[in-house]
Coordinates of all heavy atoms in Angstrom, one line a residue:
M1 N 16.6 -19.1 0.5 CA 17.8 -18.4 0.3 C 17.9 -17.9 -1.2 O 18.3 -18.6 -2.1 CB 19.0 -19.3 0.5 CG 19.0 -19.9 1.9 SD 19.4 -18.6 3.2 CE 21.2 -18.6 2.9
P2 N 17.5 -16.7 -1.5 CA 17.4 -16.2 -2.9 C 18.8 -16.2 -3.5 O 18.9 -16.4 -4.7 CB 16.9 -14.8 -2.7 CG 16.3 -14.7 -1.4 CD 17.0 -15.7 -0.5
T3 N 19.8 -15.8 -2.7 CA 21.2 -15.7 -3.3 C 21.6 -17.1 -3.9 O 22.1 -17.2 -5.0 CB 22.2 -15.2 -2.3 OG1 21.7 -14.1 -1.6 CG2 23.5 -14.9 -2.9
L4 N 21.4 -18.1 -3.1 CA 21.8 -19.4 -3.5 C 21.0 -19.8 -4.8 O 21.6 -20.4 -5.7 CB 21.5 -20.4 -2.4 CG 22.1 -21.8 -2.5 CD1 23.6 -21.6 -2.4 CD2 21.6 -22.6 -1.3
C5 N 19.7 -19.5 -4.8 CA 18.9 -19.8 -6.0 C 19.5 -19.2 -7.2 O 19.6 -19.8 -8.3 CB 17.5 -19.4 -5.8 SG 16.7 -20.4 -4.6
L6 N 19.8 -17.9 -7.1 CA 20.3 -17.1 -8.3 C 21.6 -17.7 -8.7 O 21.9 -17.8 -9.9 CB 20.5 -15.6 -7.9 CG 19.2 -14.8 -7.9 CD1 19.5 -13.4 -7.4 CD2 18.6 -14.7 -9.3
L7 N 22.5 -18.1 -7.8 CA 23.8 -18.6 -8.2 C 23.6 -19.9 -8.9 O 24.4 -20.2 -9.8 CB 24.6 -18.8 -6.9 CG 25.2 -17.5 -6.3 CD1 25.9 -17.9 -5.0 CD2 26.2 -16.9 -7.3
R8 N 22.6 -20.6 -8.6 CA 22.4 -22.0 -9.3 C 21.8 -21.9 -10.6 O 21.8 -22.8 -11.4 CB 21.6 -22.9 -8.3 CG 22.4 -23.1 -7.0 CD 21.6 -24.0 -6.1 NE 21.5 -25.4 -6.6 CZ 21.3 -26.5 -5.9 NH1 21.2 -26.3 -4.6 NH2 21.2 -27.7 -6.4
L9 N 21.2 -20.7 -10.9 CA 20.5 -20.5 -12.2 C 21.6 -20.1 -13.2 O 22.5 -19.3 -12.9 CB 19.4 -19.5 -12.1 CG 18.2 -19.9 -11.3 CD1 17.3 -18.7 -11.1 CD2 17.4 -21.0 -12.1
S10 N 21.4 -20.5 -14.5 CA 22.2 -19.9 -15.5 C 21.8 -18.5 -15.8 O 20.7 -18.1 -15.4 CB 22.1 -20.8 -16.8 OG 20.9 -20.5 -17.4
S11 N 22.7 -17.7 -16.4 CA 22.3 -16.3 -16.7 C 21.1 -16.2 -17.6 O 20.4 -15.2 -17.5 CB 23.5 -15.6 -17.3 OG 23.9 -16.3 -18.5
M12 N 20.9 -17.2 -18.4 CA 19.7 -17.1 -19.3 C 18.4 -17.3 -18.5 O 17.4 -16.8 -18.8 CB 19.8 -18.2 -20.4 CG 20.7 -17.8 -21.5 SD 20.6 -19.0 -22.9 CE 19.0 -18.8 -23.5
D13 N 18.5 -18.1 -17.5 CA 17.3 -18.3 -16.6 C 17.1 -17.1 -15.7 O 16.0 -16.8 -15.3 CB 17.5 -19.6 -15.7 CG 17.4 -20.8 -16.6 OD1 16.8 -20.8 -17.6 OD2 18.0 -21.9 -16.2
R14 N 18.2 -16.5 -15.3 CA 18.1 -15.5 -14.3 C 17.4 -14.2 -14.8 O 16.7 -13.6 -14.1 CB 19.6 -15.1 -13.9 CG 19.6 -14.7 -12.5 CD 21.1 -14.8 -12.0 NE 21.9 -13.7 -12.5 CZ 23.2 -13.8 -12.5 NH1 23.8 -14.9 -12.1 NH2 23.9 -12.8 -13.0
L15 N 17.7 -13.8 -16.0 CA 17.1 -12.5 -16.5 C 15.6 -12.5 -16.4 O 15.1 -11.5 -15.9 CB 17.6 -12.3 -18.0 CG 19.1 -11.8 -18.1 CD1 19.5 -11.7 -19.5 CD2 19.1 -10.4 -17.4
P16 N 14.9 -13.5 -16.9 CA 13.5 -13.4 -16.9 C 13.0 -13.4 -15.4 O 12.0 -12.7 -15.2 CB 13.0 -14.8 -17.5 CG 14.2 -15.2 -18.4 CD 15.4 -14.7 -17.6
V17 N 13.7 -14.0 -14.5 CA 13.2 -14.0 -13.1 C 13.3 -12.6 -12.6 O 12.3 -12.1 -11.9 CB 14.1 -14.9 -12.3 CG1 13.8 -14.7 -10.8 CG2 13.9 -16.4 -12.6
I18 N 14.4 -11.9 -12.8 CA 14.5 -10.5 -12.3 C 13.5 -9.6 -13.0 O 12.9 -8.8 -12.3 CB 15.9 -10.0 -12.7 CG1 17.0 -10.8 -11.8 CG2 16.0 -8.5 -12.4 CD1 18.4 -10.5 -12.2
R19 N 13.3 -9.8 -14.3 CA 12.3 -8.9 -15.0 C 10.9 -9.1 -14.4 O 10.1 -8.2 -14.1 CB 12.3 -9.2 -16.5 CG 11.7 -8.1 -17.3 CD 12.2 -8.2 -18.7 NE 12.1 -9.5 -19.3 CZ 12.9 -10.1 -20.2 NH1 13.9 -9.4 -20.6 NH2 12.7 -11.3 -20.7
E20 N 10.6 -10.4 -14.1 CA 9.3 -10.7 -13.6 C 9.1 -10.1 -12.2 O 8.1 -9.5 -11.9 CB 9.1 -12.2 -13.5 CG 7.8 -12.7 -12.9 CD 6.9 -13.1 -14.0 OE1 7.2 -13.0 -15.2 OE2 5.8 -13.6 -13.7
T21 N 10.1 -10.1 -11.4 CA 10.0 -9.6 -10.0 C 9.8 -8.1 -10.1 O 9.0 -7.5 -9.4 CB 11.3 -9.9 -9.3 OG1 11.5 -11.3 -9.4 CG2 11.1 -9.5 -7.8
G22 N 10.6 -7.4 -11.0 CA 10.4 -6.0 -11.1 C 9.1 -5.6 -11.6 O 8.5 -4.6 -11.1
H23 N 8.5 -6.4 -12.5 CA 7.2 -6.1 -13.0 C 6.1 -6.1 -11.9 O 5.3 -5.3 -11.7 CB 6.9 -7.1 -14.1 CG 5.5 -6.9 -14.6 ND1 5.1 -5.9 -15.4 CD2 4.4 -7.7 -14.5 CE1 3.8 -6.0 -15.7 NE2 3.4 -7.1 -15.2
V24 N 6.2 -7.2 -11.1 CA 5.3 -7.4 -10.0 C 5.4 -6.3 -9.0 O 4.4 -5.7 -8.6 CB 5.5 -8.8 -9.4 CG1 4.6 -8.9 -8.1 CG2 5.2 -9.9 -10.3
F25 N 6.6 -5.9 -8.7 CA 6.8 -4.9 -7.7 C 6.2 -3.6 -8.2 O 5.5 -2.9 -7.4 CB 8.3 -4.7 -7.5 CG 8.7 -3.6 -6.6 CD1 8.4 -3.7 -5.2 CD2 9.2 -2.4 -7.1 CE1 8.7 -2.6 -4.4 CE2 9.5 -1.3 -6.2 CZ 9.2 -1.4 -4.9
T26 N 6.5 -3.2 -9.4 CA 6.0 -2.0 -10.0 C 4.5 -1.9 -10.0 O 3.8 -1.0 -9.6 CB 6.5 -1.8 -11.4 OG1 7.9 -1.9 -11.4 CG2 6.1 -0.4 -11.9
E27 N 3.9 -3.1 -10.3 CA 2.4 -3.1 -10.4 C 1.8 -3.0 -9.0 O 0.8 -2.3 -8.8 CB 2.0 -4.4 -11.1 CG 0.7 -4.3 -11.8 CD 0.5 -5.4 -12.8 OE1 0.4 -6.6 -12.3 OE2 0.5 -5.2 -14.0
T28 N 2.4 -3.6 -8.0 CA 1.9 -3.5 -6.7 C 2.0 -2.1 -6.2 O 1.1 -1.6 -5.5 CB 2.7 -4.5 -5.7 OG1 2.7 -5.8 -6.3 CG2 2.2 -4.5 -4.4
L29 N 3.1 -1.5 -6.5 CA 3.3 -0.1 -6.0 C 2.3 0.8 -6.6 O 1.7 1.6 -5.9 CB 4.7 0.3 -6.5 CG 5.3 1.5 -5.7 CD1 5.6 1.2 -4.3 CD2 6.7 1.9 -6.4
L30 N 2.1 0.7 -7.9 CA 1.1 1.6 -8.6 C -0.3 1.3 -8.0 O -1.1 2.2 -7.8 CB 1.1 1.3 -10.1 CG 2.3 1.9 -10.8 CD1 2.3 1.4 -12.3 CD2 2.4 3.4 -10.7
K31 N -0.6 0.1 -7.7 CA -1.9 -0.3 -7.2 C -2.1 0.3 -5.8 O -3.1 0.9 -5.6 CB -1.9 -1.8 -7.1 CG -3.3 -2.4 -7.1 CD -3.2 -3.9 -7.2 CE -4.6 -4.6 -7.0 NZ -4.4 -6.1 -6.9
D32 N -1.1 0.3 -5.0 CA -1.2 0.9 -3.7 C -1.4 2.4 -3.8 O -2.2 2.9 -3.0 CB 0.1 0.6 -2.9 CG 0.1 -0.8 -2.3 OD1 -0.9 -1.5 -2.4 OD2 1.2 -1.2 -1.9
L33 N -0.7 3.0 -4.7 CA -0.8 4.5 -4.8 C -2.2 4.9 -5.3 O -2.7 5.9 -4.9 CB 0.3 5.0 -5.7 CG 1.7 5.0 -5.1 CD1 2.7 5.4 -6.1 CD2 1.8 5.8 -3.8
S34 N -2.7 4.1 -6.2 CA -3.9 4.5 -6.9 C -5.2 4.1 -6.1 O -6.3 4.6 -6.3 CB -4.0 4.0 -8.3 OG -4.0 2.6 -8.3
M35 N -5.0 3.1 -5.2 CA -6.1 2.5 -4.5 C -6.0 2.8 -3.0 O -6.2 1.9 -2.2 CB -6.3 1.1 -4.8 CG -6.6 0.8 -6.2 SD -6.6 -1.0 -6.6 CE -7.9 -1.5 -5.5
S36 N -5.5 3.9 -2.6 CA -5.3 4.2 -1.2 C -6.4 5.0 -0.6 O -6.1 6.0 0.1 CB -3.9 4.8 -1.0 OG -3.8 5.9 -1.9
K37 N -7.6 4.7 -0.9 CA -8.7 5.3 -0.2 C -9.4 4.3 0.7 O -9.7 3.2 0.3 CB -9.7 5.9 -1.3 CG -9.2 7.1 -2.1 CD -10.3 7.6 -3.0 CE -9.8 8.8 -3.8 NZ -10.8 9.2 -4.7
Y38 N -9.7 4.8 1.9 CA -10.4 4.0 2.9 C -11.6 4.7 3.4 O -11.6 5.9 3.6 CB -9.5 3.6 4.0 CG -8.5 2.5 3.7 CD1 -7.4 2.7 2.9 CD2 -8.7 1.2 4.2 CE1 -6.5 1.7 2.6 CE2 -7.8 0.2 3.9 CZ -6.7 0.5 3.2 OH -5.8 -0.6 2.9
K39 N -12.7 4.0 3.5 CA -14.0 4.6 3.9 C -14.3 4.1 5.3 O -14.2 2.9 5.7 CB -15.1 4.2 3.0 CG -16.4 4.8 3.2 CD -17.4 4.4 2.2 CE -18.7 5.1 2.4 NZ -19.7 4.6 1.4
C40 N -14.7 5.1 6.1 CA -15.2 4.8 7.5 C -16.5 4.1 7.4 O -17.5 4.7 6.8 CB -15.3 6.1 8.3 SG -15.9 5.8 10.0
S41 N -16.6 2.9 8.0 CA -17.9 2.2 7.9 C -18.9 2.8 8.8 O -20.1 2.4 8.8 CB -17.7 0.7 8.2 OG -17.2 0.6 9.6
V42 N -18.5 3.7 9.7 CA -19.5 4.3 10.7 C -20.1 5.5 10.1 O -21.3 5.6 10.1 CB -18.7 4.6 12.0 CG1 -19.7 5.2 13.0 CG2 -18.1 3.3 12.6
C43 N -19.3 6.4 9.6 CA -19.9 7.7 9.2 C -19.7 8.0 7.7 O -20.3 9.0 7.2 CB -19.3 8.9 10.0 SG -17.5 9.2 9.5
G44 N -18.9 7.2 7.0 CA -18.8 7.4 5.6 C -17.6 8.3 5.2 O -17.4 8.5 4.0
Y45 N -16.9 8.8 6.1 CA -15.7 9.6 5.8 C -14.7 8.8 5.0 O -14.5 7.6 5.2 CB -15.1 10.1 7.1 CG -13.7 10.7 6.9 CD1 -13.5 12.0 6.5 CD2 -12.5 9.9 7.2 CE1 -12.2 12.5 6.4 CE2 -11.3 10.4 7.0 CZ -11.1 11.7 6.6 OH -9.9 12.2 6.5
V46 N -14.1 9.4 4.0 CA -13.2 8.7 3.1 C -11.8 9.3 3.4 O -11.6 10.5 3.3 CB -13.5 8.9 1.6 CG1 -12.4 8.3 0.8 CG2 -14.9 8.2 1.3
Y47 N -10.9 8.4 3.8 CA -9.5 8.8 4.0 C -8.8 8.7 2.6 O -8.7 7.6 2.1 CB -8.7 8.0 5.0 CG -7.3 8.4 5.1 CD1 -6.9 9.5 5.8 CD2 -6.3 7.7 4.4 CE1 -5.6 9.9 5.8 CE2 -5.0 8.1 4.4 CZ -4.6 9.2 5.1 OH -3.3 9.6 5.1
N48 N -8.3 9.8 2.1 CA -7.6 9.8 0.8 C -6.1 10.1 1.1 O -5.8 11.2 1.6 CB -8.2 10.9 -0.1 CG -7.6 10.9 -1.5 OD1 -6.5 10.4 -1.7 ND2 -8.2 11.6 -2.4
S49 N -5.3 9.1 0.8 CA -3.8 9.3 1.1 C -3.2 10.5 0.4 O -2.2 11.0 0.8 CB -3.1 8.0 0.8 OG -3.1 7.7 -0.6
E50 N -3.8 10.9 -0.7 CA -3.2 12.0 -1.4 C -3.4 13.3 -0.6 O -2.6 14.2 -0.8 CB -3.9 12.2 -2.8 CG -3.5 11.1 -3.8 CD -4.2 11.2 -5.1 OE1 -4.8 12.3 -5.3 OE2 -4.2 10.3 -5.9
E51 N -4.4 13.3 0.2 CA -4.7 14.5 0.9 C -4.3 14.4 2.4 O -4.0 15.4 3.1 CB -6.2 14.8 0.9 CG -6.7 15.1 -0.5 CD -8.3 15.1 -0.5 OE1 -8.9 15.0 0.5 OE2 -8.8 15.3 -1.7
G52 N -4.1 13.2 2.9 CA -3.8 13.0 4.3 C -4.9 13.4 5.2 O -6.0 13.5 4.8
D53 N -4.5 13.7 6.4 CA -5.5 14.2 7.4 C -4.8 15.3 8.2 O -4.3 15.1 9.3 CB -5.9 13.1 8.3 CG -6.9 13.6 9.4 OD1 -7.4 14.7 9.3 OD2 -7.1 12.8 10.3
L54 N -4.8 16.5 7.6 CA -4.0 17.6 8.1 C -4.4 18.0 9.5 O -3.6 18.4 10.4 CB -4.0 18.8 7.2 CG -3.4 18.6 5.8 CD1 -3.5 19.8 4.9 CD2 -1.9 18.1 5.9
D55 N -5.7 17.9 9.8 CA -6.2 18.3 11.1 C -5.7 17.4 12.2 O -5.6 17.8 13.4 CB -7.8 18.2 11.1 CG -8.4 19.3 10.3 OD1 -7.7 20.3 10.0 OD2 -9.6 19.2 9.9
S56 N -5.3 16.2 11.8 CA -4.7 15.2 12.8 C -3.2 15.1 12.7 O -2.6 14.2 13.3 CB -5.4 13.8 12.6 OG -6.8 13.9 12.7
G57 N -2.6 16.0 11.9 CA -1.2 16.0 11.8 C -0.7 15.0 10.8 O 0.5 14.6 10.8
I58 N -1.5 14.5 9.9 CA -1.1 13.4 9.0 C -0.8 14.2 7.6 O -1.7 14.8 7.0 CB -2.2 12.4 8.7 CG1 -2.7 11.8 10.1 CG2 -1.7 11.3 7.7 CD1 -1.6 11.0 10.8
A59 N 0.4 14.0 7.2 CA 0.9 14.7 6.0 C 0.2 14.1 4.8 O -0.1 12.9 4.7 CB 2.4 14.7 5.9
A60 N 0.0 15.0 3.8 CA -0.5 14.5 2.5 C 0.4 13.5 1.9 O 1.7 13.6 2.0 CB -0.7 15.6 1.5
G61 N -0.1 12.4 1.3 CA 0.7 11.3 0.8 C 1.0 10.2 1.7 O 1.6 9.2 1.4
T62 N 0.4 10.3 2.9 CA 0.6 9.2 3.9 C -0.4 8.1 3.6 O -1.6 8.3 3.6 CB 0.3 9.7 5.3 OG1 1.2 10.8 5.6 CG2 0.6 8.6 6.3
L63 N 0.1 6.9 3.3 CA -0.8 5.8 3.0 C -1.6 5.4 4.3 O -1.1 5.5 5.4 CB 0.0 4.6 2.5 CG 0.6 4.7 1.1 CD1 1.4 3.4 0.8 CD2 -0.4 5.0 0.1
F64 N -2.8 4.9 4.1 CA -3.6 4.5 5.2 C -2.8 3.5 6.1 O -2.9 3.5 7.3 CB -4.9 3.9 4.7 CG -5.9 3.5 5.8 CD1 -6.7 4.5 6.4 CD2 -5.9 2.2 6.3 CE1 -7.6 4.2 7.4 CE2 -6.8 1.9 7.3 CZ -7.6 2.9 7.9
E65 N -2.1 2.6 5.4 CA -1.4 1.5 6.1 C -0.3 2.1 7.0 O 0.1 1.5 8.0 CB -0.7 0.6 5.1 CG -1.7 -0.3 4.3 CD -2.3 0.4 3.1 OE1 -2.1 1.6 3.0 OE2 -2.9 -0.3 2.3
N66 N 0.1 3.3 6.7 CA 1.2 4.0 7.5 C 0.7 4.9 8.5 O 1.5 5.6 9.2 CB 2.1 4.7 6.5 CG 2.9 3.7 5.6 OD1 3.1 2.6 5.9 ND2 3.3 4.2 4.4
L67 N -0.6 5.0 8.7 CA -1.2 5.9 9.7 C -0.8 5.3 11.1 O -0.8 4.0 11.2 CB -2.7 6.0 9.6 CG -3.2 6.8 8.4 CD1 -4.7 6.6 8.3 CD2 -2.8 8.3 8.5
P68 N -0.6 6.1 12.1 CA -0.4 5.5 13.4 C -1.6 4.7 13.9 O -2.7 4.9 13.5 CB -0.2 6.8 14.3 CG -0.7 7.9 13.5 CD -0.6 7.6 12.1
D69 N -1.3 3.7 14.7 CA -2.3 2.8 15.2 C -3.4 3.4 16.0 O -4.5 3.0 16.0 CB -1.7 1.6 16.0 CG -0.9 0.6 15.1 OD1 -1.2 0.6 13.9 OD2 -0.1 -0.1 15.6
D70 N -3.0 4.6 16.6 CA -4.0 5.3 17.4 C -4.8 6.4 16.6 O -5.5 7.1 17.2 CB -3.4 5.9 18.7 CG -2.3 6.9 18.3 OD1 -2.0 7.1 17.1 OD2 -1.8 7.5 19.3
W71 N -4.5 6.4 15.3 CA -5.3 7.3 14.4 C -6.8 7.0 14.5 O -7.1 5.8 14.5 CB -4.7 7.3 13.0 CG -5.4 8.3 12.1 CD1 -5.2 9.6 11.9 CD2 -6.5 8.0 11.2 NE1 -6.0 10.2 11.0 CE2 -6.8 9.2 10.5 CE3 -7.2 6.8 10.9 CZ2 -7.9 9.3 9.6 CZ3 -8.3 6.9 9.9 CH2 -8.6 8.1 9.3
K72 N -7.6 8.0 14.5 CA -9.0 7.8 14.5 C -9.7 8.6 13.4 O -9.2 9.6 13.0 CB -9.6 8.1 15.9 CG -9.2 7.2 17.0 CD -9.8 7.6 18.3 CE -9.6 6.5 19.4 NZ -8.2 6.2 19.6
C73 N -10.9 8.2 13.0 CA -11.7 8.9 12.1 C -11.9 10.3 12.6 O -12.3 10.5 13.7 CB -13.0 8.2 11.9 SG -14.1 9.2 10.8
P74 N -11.5 11.4 11.8 CA -11.6 12.7 12.2 C -13.1 13.2 12.4 O -13.3 14.2 13.1 CB -10.9 13.5 11.1 CG -11.0 12.7 9.9 CD -10.9 11.2 10.4
I75 N -14.0 12.5 11.8 CA -15.4 12.8 11.9 C -16.1 12.2 13.2 O -16.7 12.9 14.0 CB -16.2 12.4 10.6 CG1 -15.5 13.0 9.4 CG2 -17.6 12.9 10.7 CD1 -15.4 14.5 9.4
C76 N -15.9 10.9 13.3 CA -16.7 10.2 14.3 C -15.8 9.5 15.4 O -16.3 9.0 16.3 CB -17.7 9.2 13.7 SG -16.8 7.7 13.0
G77 N -14.5 9.5 15.1 CA -13.6 8.9 16.1 C -13.5 7.4 16.1 O -13.0 6.8 17.0
A78 N -14.0 6.8 15.0 CA -13.9 5.3 14.8 C -12.4 4.9 14.7 O -11.6 5.7 14.0 CB -14.7 4.8 13.7
P79 N -12.0 3.8 15.2 CA -10.6 3.3 15.0 C -10.3 2.9 13.6 O -11.2 2.7 12.8 CB -10.5 2.1 16.0 CG -11.9 1.6 16.1 CD -12.8 2.8 15.9
K80 N -9.0 2.7 13.3 CA -8.6 2.3 12.0 C -9.3 1.0 11.5 O -9.6 0.9 10.3 CB -7.1 2.1 11.9 CG -6.2 3.3 11.8 CD -4.8 3.0 11.8 CE -4.3 2.3 10.5 NZ -2.9 2.1 10.4
G81 N -9.6 0.2 12.5 CA -10.2 -1.1 12.1 C -11.6 -1.0 11.5 O -12.1 -1.9 10.9
A82 N -12.2 0.2 11.7 CA -13.6 0.4 11.2 C -13.6 0.9 9.8 O -14.6 1.0 9.2 CB -14.3 1.5 12.1
F83 N -12.4 1.0 9.2 CA -12.3 1.5 7.8 C -12.2 0.3 6.9 O -11.6 -0.7 7.2 CB -11.0 2.4 7.7 CG -11.3 3.8 8.1 CD1 -11.4 4.1 9.5 CD2 -11.4 4.9 7.2 CE1 -11.7 5.4 9.9 CE2 -11.6 6.2 7.6 CZ -11.8 6.4 9.0
E84 N -12.8 0.6 5.7 CA -12.8 -0.5 4.7 C -12.1 0.1 3.5 O -12.4 1.2 3.1 CB -14.2 -0.9 4.4 CG -14.9 -1.6 5.5 CD -16.4 -1.7 5.3 OE1 -16.9 -1.2 4.3 OE2 -17.0 -2.4 6.1
K85 N -11.3 -0.7 2.8 CA -10.6 -0.3 1.6 C -11.6 -0.1 0.5 O -12.5 -1.0 0.3 CB -9.5 -1.3 1.2 CG -8.6 -0.7 0.1 CD -7.3 -1.6 0.1 CE -6.3 -0.8 -0.8 NZ -5.0 -1.4 -0.7
M86 N -11.5 1.0 -0.2 CA -12.4 1.2 -1.3 C -11.8 0.6 -2.6 O -10.6 0.8 -2.9 CB -12.6 2.7 -1.5 CG -13.4 3.3 -0.4 SD -13.6 5.1 -0.6 CE -14.9 5.2 -1.8
E87 N -12.6 -0.1 -3.4 CA -12.1 -0.7 -4.6 C -12.2 0.3 -5.8 O -13.1 1.1 -5.8 CB -13.0 -1.9 -5.0 CG -12.9 -3.0 -3.9 CD -11.4 -3.5 -3.8 OE1 -10.7 -3.5 -4.8 OE2 -11.0 -4.0 -2.7
Ligands
LIG101 ZN1 -16.1 7.9 10.8

């Protein structure tokens, strides 16, 4: 129960908690945006979320995680599960 926890903390304790949470959130978001390339383990095709997959109706900026479950590799037809996240 986050609300209860916040209420029980003094205002001095509360500020660092909020700042910490915001920091983590921002970093996660940036990480997701910058590391949103997935490689097909079958044919080597790279899905880049900045470009999307226009041939399959996927708009540019669509994260791999948000692709429909029935999306397939446009080159070889491998399912999403065959893709590996690129570091
Ligand atoms: Zn493929």
